[in-house]
Each structure stands twice: as structure tokens, then as C-alpha cells.
Amino acid sequence: MSQNVNPTHSRMSEQATSSPKNSEGVLQPSKDNHAVTKRLQKELMVLMMGAEKGISAFPEGDNLFKWVGTIHGPEGTVYGGQTYKLSMEFTNSYPYQAPVVKFVTKCYHPNVDITNGVICLDILKEKWSALYDVRTILISIQSLLGEPNNESPLNVAAAESWSNQEKFKEELLKHYNEV
């Protein structure tokens, strides 16, 4: 069985799109929801106890399915000294489906859409694996900052100016400092 196939899903469960309701019409968490909650709690503990430098993430308020991530730009790159906020939204299909991850802070980068923060990163799309976790995602995005894939740009202007790091840094700071 593929590592990205949720073993608890069958054709019948795919047809049922909502969680069961109790007699008062209040949604009850499904077994999948419980498993996802447990997994996200474990990942939160790993992040809190880990010593990863330059990354962090926490649930937004009481919602364990919506997180705010922080990435410090890698030192030795044009992003060094910058801090970026990201939003991470998980579904009941996590970890079999990648979370939706976007930059909240404006990020001038070849693989980031400057208008909506969408990130073009293979592990968030077709290369997603249920073995990945929040830590892996954040490290991969941090790495992408210093090593863009200019062959697949979302921001063509950023991809074209990447070779001139001084010019690129000027443009990056102009967008970074926008309010």
C-alpha cells in the first residue's frame, strides 16, 4: 500500500463528507479527526522540545488544525536577518494530504507568489509523503529561500533578478518592509 493512502478511507467513507452529529446537531469528531489531532499534538511537542534553529510553529489559538509558523532567513543568503510568518492549515486527511502552507509575510522569491503567499514546493504538492511533518516542511521552506528552483518560478521577476544578488536584495527589502 502506498504511504500516502489513508488506510481508514474506503469508497464508502469518501462519500460521507461530514462528521456525525449528536442528537443536538453538534458535530462529533470522527476517528480520523482524533488521529490527526493526536499526530499534530505529537508534532507540536517535537517542535517545542527540539533545538531546530530558525524555525517554529504553534497552533493559532485553540485550533489545532490552523498553525502559525515562523522561519528565519538562512544566514549567508539574501534572506539572512529576515523573519517570515507562514500559515499552515491541516485537513482531516493529514498526514496523507499535505497541509496548505502560505507566506503571511510578503516574500519576494522565485517560488513564492508575492500577491497571495502561495509556495511552489514539490513536497507540498506531488512529492508529498505521509512521512513528512511540520518540522520537515519548515526546514524545506527555509532551505528553499536560499536555493530557489528558478526552472519553475511563480514570480518570474524574482527568478530573472536572482542572478544579481545585490539587485535582488533591494527588491526583497522593498517588499519585506511593505505594511
Side-chain angles (χ1 to χ4, degrees):
M1 178 176 278
S2 173
Q3 63 190 9
N4 287 336
V5 176
N6 187 339
T8 62
H9 280 228
S10 66
R11 289 242 180 252
M12 292 180 126
S13 68
E14 288 173 6
Q15 293 169 355
T17 57
S18 63
S19 295
K21 296 181 181 178
N22 67 12
S23 60
E24 289 139 12
V26 176
L27 286 176
Q28 298 296 308
S30 67
K31 288 181 183 175
D32 285 349
N33 192 8
H34 178 70
V36 175
T37 298
K38 196 171 179 179
R39 164 96 182 228
L40 289 171
Q41 287 171 335
K42 178 182 174 193
E43 290 188 29
L44 178 59
M45 288 304 296
V46 167
L47 277 169
M48 289 172 56
M49 303 304 277
E52 282 306 327
K53 200 169 184 180
I55 64 167
S56 66
F58 297 95
E60 188 175 286
D62 292 336
N63 187 352
L64 198 58
F65 287 78
K66 190 169 184 180
W67 291 29
V68 175
T70 304
I71 294 177
H72 296 278
E75 292 303 320
T77 72
V78 292
Y79 295 95
Q82 309 300 321
T83 301
Y84 292 91
K85 296 268 185 232
L86 298 105
S87 67
M88 305 177 82
E89 294 188 29
F90 303 88
T91 67
N92 285 341
S93 298
Y94 183 77
Y96 304 102
Q97 179 183 14
V100 176
V101 183
K102 294 181 181 180
F103 276 92
V104 174
T105 308
K106 290 264 187 193
C107 183
Y108 186 74
H109 187 276
N111 304 116
V112 178
D113 187 321
I114 193 76
T115 59
N116 60 18
V118 170
I119 304 166
C120 181
L121 180 61
D122 58 357
I123 71 156
L124 294 176
K125 308 278 190 253
E126 73 278 357
K127 299 281 187 180
W128 175 254
S129 166
L131 300 174
Y132 295 143
D133 59 10
V134 172
R135 183 184 147 282
T136 306
I137 294 167
L138 294 173
I139 290 170
S140 296
I141 294 171
Q142 187 181 46
S143 175
L144 181 70
L145 288 178
E147 300 174 20
N149 178 0
N150 285 323
E151 302 301 314
S152 178
L154 281 178
N155 183 336
V156 176
E160 289 172 351
S161 66
W162 180 257
S163 60
N164 182 342
Q165 291 287 282
E166 189 174 307
K167 179 182 170 189
F168 187 91
K169 178 84 175 198
E170 288 175 22
E171 195 65 27
L172 177 148
L173 291 175
K174 188 183 341 175
H175 290 285
Y176 183 81
N177 293 322
E178 281 182 6
V179 176

